[in-house]
Amino acid sequence: MSPSATTLPTGLVSEKTPAEQKLAQPAVQGLDASKLTYEFTSSPRPVPADIATACAGSESICTDHMITVAWNVETGWATPQLRPYGPLSIMPTASVLHYATECFEGLKVYRGVDDKLRLFRPDCNARRMLMSALRISLPSFEPAELEKLIVALMAVDGARWLPSGGPPDAYLYLRPTMIGTHAQLGLQTPRDALLFITASFLPRLDTIVGGLRLNTSPEDSVRAWAGGFGYAKVGANYGPSLLASNEARARGCQQVLWLYGSEGYCTEAGGSNFFVVWKNKETGKTELVTAPLDDRLILDGVTRRSILQLARERLSDELDVVERKYTMTELQEAAAEGRLVEAFAAGTAYFVTAVSLIIHRDEDVLFPMETELGGKYTRYLKGSVSDIMYGRADHEWGVVIKETQ
Amino acid sequence: MSPSATTLPTGLVSEKTPAEQKLAQPAVQGLDASKLTYEFTSSPRPVPADIATACAGSESICTDHMITVAWNVETGWATPQLRPYGPLSIMPTASVLHYATECFEGLKVYRGVDDKLRLFRPDCNARRMLMSALRISLPSFEPAELEKLIVALMAVDGARWLPSGGPPDAYLYLRPTMIGTHAQLGLQTPRDALLFITASFLPRLDTIVGGLRLNTSPEDSVRAWAGGFGYAKVGANYGPSLLASNEARARGCQQVLWLYGSEGYCTEAGGSNFFVVWKNKETGKTELVTAPLDDRLILDGVTRRSILQLARERLSDELDVVERKYTMTELQEAAAEGRLVEAFAAGTAYFVTAVSLIIHRDEDVLFPMETELGGKYTRYLKGSVSDIMYGRADHEWGVVIKETQ
């Protein structure tokens, strides 16, 4: 039911020309990737030789362009713009700087073995971005339009920044972000917002010598809670977790294993989902276990759901795939009884990384590391997802980008 | 133990000239208000006639100048700058836009009955800002230096923007803010930050016709939790609360009364602390009750602590001042038994505002409203604090600003 239909005589609506019909559309414009305008940089910057070089400094190196789309509560989404990468002009009173009205997504773009650029399930990221935006009171949008804008950025910058013939397993990191730009102090739902997308280099984190080491969250530090927002990719989940992350680092670990409640439920490993392979205490059957989504404490990771689905499809003869709550005590018990098989963290940044150790208070829980890259299930699942990302396996999850150059 | 003392021969240190001693200081510079540089605007903007006019639009009207101070992990705090108010240039990959590495303070500056400009306990805000900064992994600073910078901004802009001879009870709102500007994706403690201070108009919220109405937080929405950061003034406490705030507004209320735990403990009223005056169930004695700080769920409000102290000093003959946990059930019981005397919210934005109603699920809890401004204790405490703010009463909490013009 469009406003025009209720404010104009019914007979007139169908007699309008397309241009008139457009004028009669609702005043609040939806996000529309087809309107994207292009302003190309006149000074393209040098492309680093590889990820390690690109990530050696203390600032992210982004590609030549970014996409920005402004939003206003009365007029809706403005014309999307692809334009030279550079600083944003943000008023000191902008909502995002005070009230954390911000959310983001992270996904990678891969240069495949067939020289094609691919995204991995970008529809999942776009839908999750919408969910996060609504949780933090930022504006709604059509997820498919966000996906098109992501594709449009890489169609332009992909050829130069992720060139064919480059290192194998090369990728760039895409960061769609939405922030409240409404420049008025006093807590309120932002009346202005900005959606932007950057593409940058991000260090490879999935090849940690000796495996990933996790330190359980201190008793006085809780990442997320029932009735909170742990399931949404909003800034408010991240900054407050830094203290515990630094404590983990001081103990020689890369990430925090966030526990929840007096029971000590295992939830997330830093910004990644956490998986354990163990032998079931009663049946002896091998299980792939990860925390469930239903209490909304953890992020519905794209890598997480892909691994669960692939494991169910391809490994059901060998293991049961179980989403359930489990505690540190259960992990310690399984360790003591020799029932731990493997563990890994899964997410966009860490991809699939074998976990070798959890430090819990003063006790170490060790996971077998068959190889530097972990055990056979970790390696198989990582390889299966990677094959889709790099075009070694044909799968609907791999979305090819048609490049303009 | 300064780095210079350990790297130079001891004998040399005391023989240095002041300039040499300065060179020998630690490389990481502390926040130093005495270094403030001044760049005055060449185009001063018109000053609105009063707060209502100033707040009629959808953007905050700030004074002509702001103060900014950059920080870097290796070099420390840069030279503070007083400069024309305007947009900040922030990289799209800046920490604050993704990970909510941000904290702020809010305090008002008052034009007193003696025409002097006053702050109210700015030392409390400066110390709380430090606590918030450390909680969100932003850099440390000497709180007294922040206080001096706040004073410096008002010393310049106070005369024109909060003129003597203006409306009685006039004020401006000061917003010290710190953000992580480190332009690198990937969660980490920011290596660059920006401290800035703005002065703006903020609507008067303490004269709500019929009193403030609160809606209790829905069961699936929790503001803060043990082990979280509810006690810190970090952005992450605010954006996520907007959904519940909007629900409260839809129910005809101005704010949320945040409950905690299955017991339904009353914690905060929106961004304000919440106080109840009731008759004790057992003794019949009048009590001023508010939630305690020890579980770190709520903000240690400057107005809150001032009210507690004044009530203890001046009203102890009439009422007991009690910081303890109390539940919605206790409020409902007191209402049913006719033991509720008054209630009010207290904070910088709402100042001291009488609460007339709490809507809890489908039940109303009504508080007596002796006058439009609430009962006698609410009015007395509000008046007592206001007297200090506007110089009607001489008190160490009122800090006079020496104006430059």
Side-chain angles (χ1 to χ4, degrees), chain A residues 43-375:
Chain A
S43 50
R45 280 164 301 122
V47 179
D50 53 38
I51 288 174
T53 310
C55 297
S58 65
E59 296 202 356
S60 290
I61 294 185
C62 291
T63 62
D64 284 322
H65 302 95
M66 62 182 180
I67 285 178
T68 62
V69 201
W71 174 89
N72 172 270
V73 68
E74 283 168 13
T75 53
W77 289 101
T79 303
Q81 300 180 302
L82 183 144
R83 57 181 172 114
Y85 176 79
L88 302 170
S89 177
I90 298 177
M91 293 308 284
T93 52
S95 176
V96 63
L97 304 183
H98 304 268
Y99 308 124
T101 46
E102 60 194 66
C103 63
F104 66 93
E105 272 301 319
L107 67 165
K108 288 174 177 164
V109 54
Y110 310 88
R111 178 65 71 185
V113 292
D114 54 1
D115 265 348
K116 288 180 180 166
L117 278 189
R118 272 183 189 77
L119 298 168
F120 182 75
R121 308 187 77 178
D123 55 323
C124 296
N125 294 97
R127 282 198 304 272
R128 191 173 60 185
M129 178 92 167
L130 172 61
M131 179 277 291
S132 299
L134 298 179
R135 177 63 187 84
I136 203 71
S137 300
L138 285 169
S140 181
F141 59 89
E142 178 55 55
E145 300 301 309
L146 172 60
E147 198 182 334
K148 287 177 201 166
L149 291 173
I150 293 168
V151 167
L153 177 60
M154 288 325 300
V156 168
D157 276 351
R160 209 167 93 77
W161 289 82
L162 194 56
S164 58
D169 291 2
Y171 61 83
L172 289 171
Y173 180 71
L174 296 159
R175 175 58 68 98
T177 309
M178 204 193 302
I179 60 175
T181 51
H182 183 189
Q184 189 170 44
L185 298 180
L187 184 62
Q188 62 187 308
T189 298
R191 297 171 61 85
D192 297 283
L194 185 74
L195 168 68
F196 58 91
I197 309 170
T198 60
S200 59
F201 290 89
L202 192 78
R204 185 175 295 276
L205 299 171
D206 62 338
T207 52
I208 295 166
V209 175
L212 190 64
R213 297 181 297 281
L214 306 176
N215 187 47
T216 56
S217 50
E219 287 192 45
D220 62 353
S221 187
V222 179
R223 175 188 169 275
W225 65 104
F229 41 86
Y231 60 95
K233 217 160 171 67
V234 295
N237 279 321
Y238 295 86
S241 77
L242 281 169
L243 286 187
S245 299
N246 291 341
E247 185 173 324
R249 213 153 291 136
R251 300 189 78 179
C253 296
Q254 290 87 4
Q255 287 289 346
V256 178
L257 179 64
W258 290 101
L259 304 184
Y260 185 71
S262 52
E263 302 89 348
Y265 291 118
C266 301
T267 61
E268 289 200 1
S272 307
N273 295 119
F274 180 64
F275 288 77
V276 177
V277 183
W278 64 17
K279 302 278 184 190
N280 182 288
K281 186 177 171 68
E282 273 78 40
T283 65
K285 182 101 194 268
T286 304
E287 286 179 345
L288 175 67
V289 182
T290 196
L293 302 177
D294 49 18
D295 52 7
R296 310 200 85 185
L297 291 178
I298 66 167
L299 197 73
D300 177 8
V302 178
T303 314
R304 176 189 181 278
R305 70 161 75 173
S306 303
I307 280 171
L308 288 173
Q309 187 171 332
L310 291 177
R312 285 182 175 123
E313 285 173 8
R314 302 179 185 181
L315 296 174
S316 57
D317 289 348
E318 297 187 41
L319 49 71
D320 289 338
V321 178
V322 184
E323 294 172 76
R324 76 157 169 95
K325 289 184 176 183
Y326 62 98
T327 65
M328 262 318 291
T329 307
E330 284 181 81
L331 282 184
Q332 290 172 306
E333 195 179 56
E337 296 170 1
R339 291 187 285 106
L340 291 181
V341 180
E342 302 176 15
F344 58 89
T348 298
Y350 276 87
F351 189 26
V352 178
T353 301
V355 170
S356 56
L357 170 69
I358 298 173
I359 302 180
H360 179 57
R361 312 298 175 239
D362 292 317
E363 195 176 327
D364 288 357
V365 175
L366 288 159
F367 293 88
M369 288 284 285
E370 195 178 290
T371 74
E372 273 296 302
L373 296 174

